[in-house]
Amino acid sequence: MATLDRIKVRLEISNTSKDGMLNELILTAEDRIMLRAGIAVMTDGTRTTLPADLASIAVEVVVKAYRRIEYEGIKSESADTLNTSFVDDILDEYSLEIEAYRKNNIEKVRFI
């Protein structure tokens, strides 16, 4: 299943009205994940494809980013019993997985 389709399932979006925004969030998430994983985003003038091993992280990051759209920048907010706060770095909770990918794939290539 394509990344966009996976995201739409999680967000329960059945039409195409949000596809443009979701595709932009996907590109941004993939770029940032690849940079953290040590993968060149652009090679020979073409965009690098996100490795399949990191695709689930992109899906989760886009879902979180989408849900934050109208709340961008909120660190903490309270209203009666409802509290809203966001982490500074959405990718931070995936740092162990991204680093494991980097060690298993990128660093091996450098030392061979």
Side-chain angles (χ1 to χ4, degrees):
M1 184 182 295
T3 302
L4 178 61
D5 295 329
R6 291 177 64 192
I7 292 164
K8 289 172 78 170
V9 166
R10 290 189 187 198
L11 294 172
E12 298 179 342
I13 298 173
S14 58
N15 59 39
T16 60
S17 66
K18 304 285 185 183
D19 286 7
M21 180 179 38
L22 291 173
N23 280 319
E24 175 56 32
L25 290 172
I26 290 167
L27 287 174
T28 301
E30 288 178 349
D31 289 349
R32 291 182 178 177
I33 291 166
M34 287 190 286
L35 288 170
R36 294 243 179 135
I39 302 166
V41 176
M42 297 291 284
T43 57
D44 300 329
T46 60
R47 190 172 187 287
T48 305
T49 303
L50 182 73
D53 293 346
L54 300 172
S56 289
I57 294 173
V59 170
E60 291 185 14
V61 167
V62 170
V63 168
K64 289 177 184 181
Y66 177 83
R67 289 181 175 153
R68 286 175 61 171
I69 286 176
E70 294 188 22
Y71 300 96
E72 191 169 342
I74 289 180
K75 191 80 151 160
S76 183
E77 179 182 81
S78 296
D80 204 17
T81 59
L82 177 66
N83 290 321
T84 304
S85 73
F86 297 111
V87 295
D88 289 329
D89 183 358
I90 294 175
L91 289 176
D92 190 46
E93 71 180 271
Y94 307 103
S95 60
L96 291 175
E97 290 94 338
I98 293 170
E99 185 59 28
Y101 176 87
R102 182 184 179 98
K103 285 183 179 180
N104 290 329
N105 295 281
I106 305 300
E107 293 177 9
K108 284 181 182 178
V109 173
R110 289 185 189 152
F111 295 109
I112 291 180

